[in-house]
Amino acid sequence: MHRFGSYSISVTLSCALCLAGTLACSSSSSDDTGASAGTSSNNAGTSSGGATNSAGTSSGGATNSAGTSAGGASSAGTSSGGATTAGSANGGSGTSGSAGSSSAGSGGGANTGGVGVTWNKVFVTWYGYDDNSCQTEAQHTCANIAYAMSDGFPTKHDSATEGKGSYDDPITFAASQQGDAETFGGATINPGTIIYYPKVKKYFMMEDSCLECTQQWDAMKLLHVDLWMGPSMPPAGQTMFGQPLIDCEDNSTDSSADDPTDTIIVDPPSNLEVSPTMLFTGTQCNVP
């Protein structure tokens, strides 16, 4: 389903998380905690996951045509900003060189993902069952997503889900509508693209769209992504999760549209550290 923007039950959350990317929206929307005004200056710097830009090198190991890194991996393509284009659910455009490895945490195992492109100054917000748009922006309480696997998209779910947050079982996230070309450093978010949010040590997959993210990119070049938290539906006998979910969303949002300070890794390596703790259990918030 389409995400049409932000909505709040107890607090007006102004941004329906949208990442830099090309997304289409089917019919679901989330609630954000940030202000809608402001600008962000996104640099095209180096990536801790391993991508390099045209002006330098990175510690992670990916290189482009203008720079080399100690890790030894090479990316499949570069942009004028130096970042590789984020691709499909299966890992994106980067491939590992014979001597390369990512500077991953304690996830363990060989990397089967991408080289990782770090985006700074991102506005990260949260949404869940209660404040997700269904058929219209006015209709909420659902887990509909714009890019369901059953509709032929390269995604993993048919409804928004928290999953384990691992590379193979990522959590749903939303970004700007397809065709709006919300980009930064050459990396474009398409359905099926995976990101990693270091704050919570979880992987997320682009499976939903966000109208406000698109509007904010068009108006102020703000990088905004909206991350799902919690179960796909409340327990039997409940129609909503209520205040615990909204409070968790609000308290987990660290920056604002006026001052975006979050960092994410686009097309990350698959072997980064993953926290086993569920972000929102339905009653308890566990976001650090």
Side-chain angles (χ1 to χ4, degrees), residues 5 25 45 84 104 213 223 250:
C25 174
T84 60
C213 300
L223 293 170
D250 292 351

Side-chain angles (χ1 to χ4, degrees), residues 1 145-159 207:
M1 288 298 183
I145 55 176
Y147 309 111
M149 179 177 63
S150 59
D151 290 336
F153 292 100
T155 52
K156 289 183 176 290
H157 305 111
D158 290 327
S159 60
E207 298 183 313

Side-chain angles (χ1 to χ4, degrees), residues 6 11-15 31-35 123-126 224 226 246-256:
S6 67
V11 177
T12 300
L13 305 178
S14 63
C15 300
D31 146 324
D32 307 335
T33 59
F123 182 31
V124 173
T125 56
W126 301 86
H224 182 187
D226 209 9
I246 301 305
D247 288 345
C248 191
E249 293 173 8
D250 292 351
N251 295 334
S252 302
T253 302
D254 293 335
S255 64
S256 68

Side-chain angles (χ1 to χ4, degrees), residues 41-60 62-64 79-84 115-121 184-187 223 263-266:
S41 61
N42 296 288
N43 55 47
T46 61
S47 157
S48 63
T52 67
N53 64 20
S54 58
T57 65
S58 77
S59 61
T63 68
N64 66 16
S79 72
S80 59
T84 60
V115 295
V117 180
T118 297
W119 288 5
N120 298 307
K121 296 183 179 294
F184 169 66
L223 293 170
T263 295
I264 62 172
I265 301 174
V266 180

